[in-house]
Amino acid sequence: MNGYGFRQAARMERIKLGSVRSTWWLAIAAVVSMAAAGAGVGLGYRSHTPVATGAQILNNSLGGAIVAQLLLGALGVLMVTGEYGTGMIRSTFAAVPRRRIVVAAKAAVCGGAALTIGLVASFAGYLGGQLAIRGTAIPAASLGDGPILRAVLLTGVYLGATALIGVGIGTIVRHSGAAIGTLFGLMFVPMIVAGLFGESGIAVGRFVPLLMLLNSIAVTSPIPGLFAGWVSVLLMCGYAAAAILCGGLLLRHRDA
């Protein structure tokens, strides 16, 4: 037997992803964290003077993505490292000997699930903020407004890309704790380092995931000097592709 092809491998990965309890907890936590952040921002601005703008509410409402990215990144990591922890990875490789198919199937399944969760979470953050300001003088941020809709959609895509980065890191590191720690470090340490250089750090900071999120993606207007939101999202997808490619190359030359 030549083992499973991509479709069979992807079907197997979908079953495994859905059967793991942590998948559901991380997905729910990501959506709830975004909704709670949005509602918290809206409630905080209800009595704010001067009256906030719709863009201010939206920009801050999507701030919950800071937590959601870590949760979905961990989801991506655990999709790989969970099997190493239980020893199930040997059975996976026995069923699918071509390891590049295993990596591709995990990336496709995780990417699709994380993109869906990310978009739901992003809209939850938006709705949380908008519901919290109802009945106030604060203008509503309509999804019919291009910059508003773009920020919400791109935030969801960013979250999905973060999960794929987690898949890549998990494939490279293979240990849950170390891989999640590496993911967290890659998200926060570069931002801290870029901040040490003040305004001159923008040239480097525009390539840093968390700074891209807060100042280019999850906002209606990017800060001067940073890339446009869609460019930042493409960069995140590039980081994800590089991480998965590196993981796949290492996997070919490693024992299970």
Side-chain angles (χ1 to χ4, degrees):
M1 291 181 64
N2 294 324
Y4 289 174
F6 175 78
R7 288 186 179 180
Q8 293 85 354
R11 186 179 301 115
M12 181 174 66
E13 292 300 332
R14 282 196 298 271
I15 293 171
K16 288 189 288 187
L17 182 65
S19 64
V20 177
R21 188 177 301 175
S22 62
T23 298
W24 299 99
W25 283 116
L26 288 169
I28 292 170
V31 174
V32 170
S33 65
M34 287 288 289
V41 166
L43 292 173
Y45 272 106
R46 285 184 67 89
S47 57
H48 187 270
T49 303
V51 175
T53 64
Q56 282 180 305
I57 297 297
L58 178 78
N59 294 350
N60 289 284
S61 293
L62 296 179
I66 296 174
V67 175
Q69 68 172 347
L70 301 179
L71 295 168
L72 292 183
L75 175 65
V77 166
L78 293 174
M79 186 160 187
V80 179
T81 60
E83 290 197 54
Y84 278 100
T86 61
M88 187 183 293
I89 194 69
R90 296 183 182 88
S91 299
T92 298
F93 289 153
V96 190
R98 288 180 291 179
R99 297 187 177 187
R100 65 179 181 274
I101 292 181
V102 174
V103 176
K106 286 183 179 295
V109 172
C110 183
L115 176 61
T116 301
I117 297 167
L119 289 171
V120 171
S122 185
F123 276 98
Y126 161 79
L127 289 173
Q130 295 305 299
L131 291 174
I133 63 171
R134 293 185 69 176
T136 70
I138 302 173
S142 171
L143 291 175
D145 187 349
I148 301 293
L149 180 60
R150 182 179 65 244
V152 174
L153 292 177
L154 290 182
T155 299
V157 177
Y158 171 95
L159 294 175
T162 303
L164 288 177
I165 292 175
V167 171
I169 294 175
T171 307
I172 294 169
V173 179
R174 302 192 297 179
H175 183 276
S176 297
I180 291 174
T182 300
L183 174 70
F184 284 24
L186 289 174
M187 289 297 172
F188 288 103
V189 173
M191 182 187 70
I192 296 172
V193 173
L196 296 176
F197 295 93
E199 292 186 1
S200 60
I202 291 180
V204 175
R206 59 184 177 174
F207 294 96
V208 174
L210 195 51
L211 288 177
M212 290 193 296
L213 171 68
L214 297 177
N215 300 302
S216 173
I217 296 172
V219 293
T220 55
S221 298
I223 288 179
L226 270 69
F227 295 120
W230 67 270
V231 176
S232 295
V233 165
L234 285 179
L235 268 175
M236 283 295 294
C237 293
Y239 293 158
I244 292 171
L245 178 61
C246 288
L249 291 174
L250 287 173
L251 191 62
R252 292 180 62 185
H253 304 289
R254 284 174 168 174
D255 294 331

